[in-house]
Amino acid sequence: MPFKMVIRWLHRFVTLALFLLVMGFWWLNQSGDNPAGDKLLRTQKINDHMWLYLTESQSGGATVPFHYRYYLAGDLKGSNSEIVKNLAESFPFISGSGTIAGITTSADNRVMVTYSGNVFSLSNTASYKYDGQNYTTHFSYQIN
């Protein structure tokens, strides 16, 4: 009889410990990567209506690699935090831990990107608005 009671209590303890472990991992993974808290690092004019914006994620810690997001948009005005909040409403065309070594455009709104480093995500198109006109760009990548 005491053996069965020990097994029953041990089973309850192990079940509770596993439940707490699973809930702890779930809770830790709930905090997403919020682009609205990023830091604006660079703005570069590409052509008459297109600017490149580089933001750095501020949600990592000492053991997390830098996470950069690259956006194409029109000329955005305001403080750095206002620009980042505006960019966070759209999607970056490339995000990763590397850098853009070169970016060029053609007359048909095609953008050629030379990127060096790890890629977390990338997109084939980007849309933005400048001076009341909508623009859609298509990307070609060379990733080293």
Side-chain angles (χ1 to χ4, degrees):
M1 193 70 144
F3 181 72
K4 287 184 179 180
M5 189 167 66
V6 169
I7 295 296
R8 192 175 303 140
W9 278 103
L10 187 62
H11 181 264
R12 289 177 184 164
F13 175 75
V14 169
T15 303
L16 179 64
L18 287 175
F19 176 74
L20 292 175
L21 184 69
V22 168
M23 292 307 292
F25 278 116
W26 176 80
W27 180 74
L28 287 174
N29 288 320
Q30 283 300 83
S31 61
D33 191 19
N34 183 9
D38 284 2
K39 176 182 172 185
L40 183 65
L41 294 181
R42 187 175 77 177
T43 302
Q44 177 182 344
K45 186 174 183 177
I46 305 299
N47 62 23
D48 293 339
H49 57 81
M50 185 186 307
W51 279 259
L52 172 69
Y53 294 92
L54 167 62
T55 64
E56 179 185 41
S57 174
Q58 298 295 299
S59 64
T63 60
V64 178
F66 290 111
H67 181 182
Y68 300 111
R69 293 183 179 92
Y70 295 90
Y71 298 89
L72 283 185
D75 187 19
L76 301 175
K77 303 291 184 191
S79 68
N80 285 355
S81 62
E82 290 170 344
I83 291 173
V84 168
K85 286 179 185 174
N86 193 347
L87 291 171
E89 295 173 2
S90 62
F91 294 103
F93 68 90
I94 191 166
S95 67
S97 61
T99 60
I100 290 182
I103 186 166
T104 58
T105 62
S106 63
D108 61 347
N109 247 7
R110 191 141 191 88
V111 177
M112 176 59 186
V113 177
T114 305
Y115 183 84
S116 179
N118 292 330
V119 176
F120 301 147
S121 69
L122 61 96
S123 175
N124 292 329
T125 62
S127 297
Y128 61 93
K129 195 173 195 174
Y130 178 67
D131 277 345
Q133 188 172 1
N134 291 325
Y135 293 94
T136 300
T137 59
H138 300 279
F139 295 99
S140 297
Y141 294 100
Q142 177 182 350
I143 299 176
N144 302 324

